Amino acid sequence: MTLTREDAMRILGLAPDEWDALQRANHLPEPDRHTEGQPEWRPETIEAYRTRPVEQWPLSRVAEWLGYTGPSARSVARRQLGRWSVPQLGRRPGRGGETLYASDQVQAIRAIQPGSGRREAPREGGKFTRA
């Protein structure tokens, strides 16, 4: 028995955009085989990914790791994670419980995001020049 992409997404509890983000970050397990051009996974492969040991970061820790500070840091981090389609693991209990994220997923998706500025562009006197 093998699992299709849709089966794997259902088992992992991922939306299509979250699956795509993790796939772009090369964070999901490689397919065990392809049938008629479609990837398929063995149930053990998906279960191993689902039960991998992972550190759960609350939103405040994610905001700190991303370098956001100030009173709106958590709000900015929440919006950024939504734009990147980082899946949520759940929430801490209690009224003030924060949303939890898998640290490895946050780090993997952040690593593939484009940076700011023009990397290695030629400079002259501190200003960018045309190449």
Side-chain angles (χ1 to χ4, degrees):
M1 178 185 157
T2 58
L3 303 172
T4 64
R5 176 181 185 260
E6 289 72 26
D7 295 334
M9 284 191 317
R10 183 180 37 77
I11 291 169
L12 296 174
L14 297 174
D17 59 333
E18 295 168 341
W19 175 275
D20 294 341
L22 290 170
Q23 194 171 36
R24 278 193 308 276
N26 292 322
H27 196 270
L28 293 173
E30 290 293 319
D32 293 309
R33 70 180 196 175
H34 286 79
T35 303
E36 297 179 9
Q38 298 300 316
E40 293 182 343
W41 293 263
R42 292 190 337 254
E44 311 84 61
T45 304
I46 296 300
E47 188 61 22
Y49 178 80
R50 189 181 71 77
T51 59
R52 75 196 184 287
V54 63
E55 184 179 355
Q56 296 182 1
W57 282 356
L59 185 59
S60 57
R61 172 72 177 100
V62 173
E64 176 186 317
W65 186 79
L66 291 173
Y68 300 139
T69 58
S72 62
R74 290 190 320 189
S75 177
V76 172
R78 183 180 300 110
R79 286 192 306 270
Q80 186 62 61
L81 293 173
R83 284 190 292 272
W84 290 343
S85 299
V86 177
Q88 301 174 0
L89 293 180
R91 289 184 64 81
R92 281 191 169 165
R95 184 174 178 163
E98 291 185 77
T99 306
L100 298 171
Y101 296 90
S103 62
D104 59 344
Q105 292 177 344
V106 172
Q107 293 169 344
I109 292 176
R110 173 61 185 108
I112 65 165
Q113 299 306 315
S116 60
R118 295 167 49 185
R119 293 190 186 147
E120 300 181 27
R123 293 177 181 246
E124 195 173 290
K127 296 183 180 182
F128 292 115
T129 60
R130 293 184 183 237

